[in-house]
């Protein structure tokens, strides 16, 4: 189950992680002067060609606006080809599988497939099926934590906070690079709680630097967990707003400035982002963008991409 990120009342790479990621050698951690908005996220991007379609098998889904059919967890999607590719990949949205276009494993799929299971699929070794699917569910949560911690480490102004974020990243990397049994036995809720506290600490620090540039009187409804579905927030200066876990479904954010706005766990399904400035928003992810509506005029962080279904103009 995905962690709940919503509201509630210079570490070196470990030898173990080198073993897990030897096949790509992509993950490298540093705390020195990041060039972009977040540290080394390259290894936290999905590489479907090196994954055994774990997102199409391990997870289940129910028929809804996001999925055209029911699929129990642990079973292959009926659109899955023998080579683990999707037979309707180029027409997922029009055929009722919008949820597939939103999902992102943060690189967990290829790392479980090629690292923990040495490039041997659950078809080749059926006896590994259940463990592989369980490992993917755990690793996906850990990779998402790494994504957020990389940004927290890069965005904080305090060296001590940056070091503590790096230590948490190193702990997670060691868990991913250890034995399979250790990963499956990991207390992920406890680790998630520590990560969440760190993210909130950095959020308060970052947002404080933007309060002076935002609206003098931000709407009192703009708060963590707020129900902002369909709300007109067009052309607003929302700098430093705390929208963590907010429901922004179909909200109109066109032309708005969200510099320093905390979007951790915010629901952006069908949110209008055309012309909005999200380039310095805090804790924004690719799945959130994939669920939203935007255009070529939407400003994004350097390490996020414009979804293919957005209007390019």
């Amino acid at each position: 189950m995905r962690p709940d990120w919503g509201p509630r009342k210079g570490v070196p790479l470990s030898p173990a992680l080198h073993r897990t990621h030897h096949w790509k050698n992509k993950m490298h951690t540093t705390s020195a002067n990041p060039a972009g908005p977040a540290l080394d996220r390259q290894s936290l991007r999905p590489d479907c060609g090196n994954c055994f379609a774990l997102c199409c098998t391990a997870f289940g889904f129910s028929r809804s606006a996001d999925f055209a059919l029911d699929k129990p967890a642990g079973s292959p999607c009926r659109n899955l080809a023998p080579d683990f590719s999707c037979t309707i990949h180029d027409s997922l949205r029009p055929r009722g599988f919008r949820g597939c276009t939103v999902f992102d494993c943060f690189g967990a799929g290829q790392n479980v497939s090629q690292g923990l299971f040495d490039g041997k699929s659950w078809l080749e070794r059926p006896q590994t099926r259940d463990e592989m699917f369980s490992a993917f569910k755990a690793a996906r949560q850990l990779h998402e934590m790494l994504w957020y911690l990389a940004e927290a480490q890069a965005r904080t102004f305090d060296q001590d906070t940056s070091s503590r974020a790096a230590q948490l990243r190193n702990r997670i990397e060691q868990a991913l690079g250890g034995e399979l049994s250790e990963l499956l036995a990991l207390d992920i809720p406890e680790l998630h709680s520590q990560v969440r506290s760190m993210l909130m600490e950095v959020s308060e620090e970052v947002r404080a630097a933007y309060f002076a540039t935002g609206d003098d009187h931000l709407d009192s409804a703009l708060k963590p967990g707020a129900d902002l579905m369909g709300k007109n927030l067009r052309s607003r200066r929302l700098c430093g707003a705390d929208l963590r876990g907010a429901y922004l479904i179909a909200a109109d954010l066109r032309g708005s400035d969200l510099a320093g706005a905390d979007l951790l766990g915010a629901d952006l399904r069908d949110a209008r982002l055309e012309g909005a400035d999200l380039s310095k928003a805090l804790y924004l992810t690719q799945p959130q963008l994939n669920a939203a509506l935007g255009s070529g005029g939407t400003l994004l962080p350097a390490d996020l991409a414009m979804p293919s279904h957005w209007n390019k103009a």
Side-chain angles (χ1 to χ4, degrees):
M1 182 173 292
R2 185 182 177 190
D4 176 14
W5 295 110
R8 285 201 290 259
K9 306 250 177 287
V11 177
L13 183 65
S14 68
L17 196 60
H18 274 296
R19 175 183 64 76
T20 297
H21 298 285
H22 71 281
W23 64 281
K24 281 288 184 180
N25 192 27
K26 295 195 299 183
M27 187 171 289
H28 50 280
T29 306
T30 175
S31 59
N33 300 320
L39 292 165
D40 55 38
R41 284 174 164 174
Q42 188 57 39
S43 63
L44 301 176
R45 303 178 191 282
D47 179 4
C48 299
N50 280 297
C51 175
F52 302 133
L54 298 182
C55 63
C56 307
T57 49
F59 295 123
F61 48 75
S62 299
R63 185 172 183 175
S64 64
D66 291 325
F67 297 102
L69 49 80
D70 294 321
K71 188 193 84 66
S75 67
C77 175
R78 73 180 187 185
N79 299 311
L80 187 64
D83 65 352
F84 302 113
S85 64
C86 176
T87 60
I88 61 168
H89 182 268
D90 294 333
S91 58
L92 284 167
R93 281 181 170 262
R95 295 185 65 166
F97 290 88
R98 183 176 68 167
C100 297
T101 68
V102 171
F103 181 81
D104 191 308
C105 73
F106 295 94
Q110 67 263 24
N111 290 336
V112 169
S113 298
Q114 303 297 333
L116 283 172
F117 289 87
D118 302 319
K120 301 295 184 181
S121 77
W122 48 269
L123 281 177
E124 293 176 85
R125 298 191 299 187
Q127 69 275 16
T128 66
R129 179 190 184 108
D130 291 343
E131 282 192 332
M132 188 179 294
F133 294 169
S134 295
F136 174 63
K137 293 175 182 179
R140 198 270 179 188
Q141 295 184 61
L142 296 177
H143 276 245
E144 184 177 14
M145 293 182 207
L146 288 175
W147 178 273
Y148 287 127
L149 285 170
E151 183 167 6
Q153 187 180 348
R155 296 287 292 265
T156 181
F157 304 106
D158 185 83
Q159 184 57 45
D160 178 65
T161 301
S162 177
S163 295
R164 288 189 288 113
Q167 290 169 5
L168 269 175
R169 292 178 69 196
N170 190 53
R171 178 182 171 189
I172 293 172
E173 289 168 352
Q174 288 180 335
L176 289 166
E179 298 298 324
L180 175 62
S181 59
E182 296 173 352
L183 173 63
L184 296 178
L186 189 66
D187 188 347
I188 292 181
E190 183 273 334
L191 186 57
H192 170 260
S193 179
Q194 292 186 39
V195 171
R196 183 177 180 279
S197 294
M198 170 62 67
L199 300 183
M200 291 178 65
E201 179 181 339
V202 173
S203 173
E204 291 180 7
E205 177 189 354
V206 172
R207 289 186 295 104
Y210 284 97
F211 285 149
T213 63
D215 285 346
D216 291 335
H217 302 288
L218 284 176
D219 191 328
S220 60
L222 303 181
K223 58 185 178 181
D227 182 354
L228 302 171
M229 291 189 289
K231 189 173 181 63
N232 183 6
L233 297 171
R234 187 170 184 175
S235 300
R236 292 283 299 275
R237 294 178 63 82
L238 302 176
C239 306
D242 190 350
L243 298 172
R244 174 171 40 91
Y247 294 93
L248 289 160
I249 301 171
D252 189 349
L253 291 161
R254 287 176 291 175
S256 293
D257 186 354
L258 288 100
D262 187 340
L263 295 174
L264 182 66
D267 192 336
L268 294 177
R269 282 178 292 171
D270 294 327
R272 298 291 302 275
L273 301 178
E274 295 95 328
D277 187 350
L278 296 159
S279 61
K280 295 181 181 178
L282 190 61
Y283 304 140
L284 183 65
T285 66
Q286 194 65 50
Q288 287 173 304
L289 292 178
N290 293 346
L293 303 174
S295 68
T298 306
L299 300 182
L300 303 177
D303 44 16
L304 295 177
M306 184 177 74
S308 60
H309 67 277
W310 283 17
N311 183 355
K312 304 301 186 293

